[in-house]
Amino acid sequence: MKNILIISSFLFTAFFSSATEKEIIKSSMYEVTVYAQGAQIFNRASYTVKPGITEIIIDGVSPFIDAKSLQVKATGNVILMDSKYSLYYPKPEPASVDGLPLKIRKDILLIEDSIKIVAYDLQEIQDELDVLMATKNILANNGAIRGQGKVNDSINLLKQAVDYYTLKMTELNKKIQALNKRKADKLEKRQGMDERLADLRNYQNNNDMNPAKKGPIHRLTITVSSKEAATGKINFSYLVSNAGWTPSYDLRSDGLTSKINLTYKANVYQNCGLDWDNVKLNISTNNPYMNKTKPTLHPWYIDYYAYRNDKYKSINMNAAPAMQKEELSEKGYAYSNTIQTDALTSDMFVQTIRQLSSIEFKIDLPYSIKSNNEQHMVLIKTADLDAEYKYFSVPKLDNSVYLVAQITKLDELGMVPAEANIFFDGSYIGETYIDPTAMEDTLSLSLGRDQNIVIKRTLLKKELKEKVIGDKKERTFAYSIEVKNIKATAIDIVIQDQIPITTNADITIEPIDLAKARYDDRTGALEWTFTLKPKENKVIDFSFKVKHNKDLNIPIH
């Protein structure tokens, strides 16, 4: 018997010593990596556990966590067994039982109960009224009362009908009047209770007497095992969706040097439910939500298809590719330089790390960003870029000449496509779009119009010719471009134009005189590059002819 007791005691002790302990600890956020979409949040915490299995519970996790992205590391003499994200619903706080708040709460409960009782009474009265009103309608619409049937043949029957109607209608009206009076009293009583209840609730709300309603707590549960008491640190990170950054650039040129100053900025926003307080911030060009699976090329099958033969219905020769024109707004906001010593900027504390498929900018400064979706500008990088200045004009689209800075080596800056503000000679002149992913090695940055260079494109009507040869019509077109440099210095200028192209084998386009232009027969683009001395004037004449079916019209402008 003694041995049995000893064994039972041993098993009892072993059971409780192996039971899972729960330890709630606090963590602190120390670093955030912001992606183009989403953000990786890094946290750390200290723990102390007893021998056996312990569930370490960490509250205060973002409600927008991507549970699949959770990563946990720990130090100390423990074994990491499991980690999971879960929701915990705390028990509601009990109402206060001291002082006025309890009295107010009791009064509210009593009035709410009374209002319910009055509502039932009103419904009961209304039901009785409905029955009485239906009875009145039946009585009033009875054939005997309305003089229909045999009642008209007998004075006695008529008298009995009238007496019965008078008696019953008087009785019904009295009951209806009594019920309406009771209903009015109940409604008045309920109105008073509603007003009293509103006053009590306003008092309660204004004095913060409502118990705080607690929603679910987002938490992590990390299970560890240890043979002995242990202490250490836990580092964990996870991805949240309600955060990100958008790039923007400032490009500044004084027009005197061959340098363009570029300012690379990140507009960071977050609404992940947690404030980022004094965290180390990293900006990454990666997007974890973008598809990472390599596409698979499947066989490409072709076969005959019955096309509609309507290709002659509308032929627009202006559909040929043309040089895209930069639309710049002339706003003239001032940008002034200071003669004082420049303050340090955050880009001086940025380390650029090139990864296999993205670039990360590590900023060695603490940032605080609240969870309110507001944008915060973070300066990533400034750089002076080599630029070559040229003048460009597309007189077919715009009789203006634009100063263009051609910038190279942008791929070394880890940039992503974004809008760029342009400042020239201290003034804001507009914005453009920078796309480093384009195949061109050079970025052409328009710095606005130059009013001291005049250009004009004219259709030479006297050179227009048209003749019919067999079933074909041959039309000749000629244009003249005149450009004049009013500046006191020589300029390098590039003029771009075009002649039409076609994919219709029935139409033939033939250049006549292109004035030594560089001609791209794929796109029809023409380009002249030359130097204009001060006050020099130059005229460029070019012409072409088009042959097509004489019975069909082709609009050429």
Side-chain angles (χ1 to χ4, degrees), residues 428-447:
Y428 173 72
I429 63 171
E431 61 182 27
T432 187
Y433 188 80
I434 295 179
D435 186 4
T437 63
M439 294 300 181
E440 292 84 1
D441 296 330
T442 302
L443 170 67
S444 294
L445 178 65
S446 180
L447 299 176

Side-chain angles (χ1 to χ4, degrees), residues 106-145:
K106 285 182 177 180
D107 288 347
I108 290 175
L109 293 175
L110 289 173
I111 293 176
E112 287 176 342
D113 290 341
S114 300
I115 289 175
K116 289 180 182 179
I117 294 172
V118 171
Y120 287 127
D121 291 343
L122 285 171
Q123 186 61 50
E124 184 179 344
I125 292 172
Q126 187 62 48
D127 291 342
E128 292 184 31
L129 284 171
D130 292 341
V131 171
L132 293 175
M133 293 302 297
T135 304
K136 281 186 64 176
N137 289 333
I138 293 172
L139 186 60
N141 293 322
N142 185 270
I145 302 301

Side-chain angles (χ1 to χ4, degrees), residues 216-240:
I217 296 176
H218 301 263
R219 59 171 39 173
L220 297 180
T221 302
I222 301 169
T223 305
V224 299
S225 175
S226 177
K227 294 182 179 180
E228 56 188 17
T231 60
K233 295 191 179 296
I234 292 178
N235 290 273
F236 63 94
S237 66
Y238 56 87
L239 184 69
V240 294

Side-chain angles (χ1 to χ4, degrees), residues 192-225:
M193 288 189 289
D194 287 338
E195 293 175 356
R196 175 60 178 162
L197 180 61
D199 291 340
L200 290 173
R201 283 178 172 167
N202 288 334
Y203 181 86
Q204 183 184 34
N205 293 333
N206 293 334
N207 289 275
D208 195 22
M209 294 176 183
N210 278 319
K213 293 184 178 179
K214 291 188 176 181
I217 296 176
H218 301 263
R219 59 171 39 173
L220 297 180
T221 302
I222 301 169
T223 305
V224 299
S225 175

Side-chain angles (χ1 to χ4, degrees), residues 72 76 118 130 203 210 215 229 235 239-240 276 287 317 351 386 462 487 507:
V72 179
V118 171
D130 292 341
Y203 181 86
N210 278 319
N235 290 273
L239 184 69
V240 294
W276 301 349
N287 184 350
M317 298 303 291
Q351 178 186 4
D386 292 328
K462 64 180 181 178
K487 298 170 69 70
I507 302 173

Side-chain angles (χ1 to χ4, degrees), residues 446-464:
S446 180
L447 299 176
R449 299 178 176 91
D450 193 324
Q451 306 296 336
N452 292 316
I453 306 172
V454 181
I455 194 167
K456 181 174 66 173
R457 182 181 189 265
T458 307
L459 172 66
L460 301 177
K461 295 183 179 180
K462 64 180 181 178
E463 300 294 334
L464 291 177

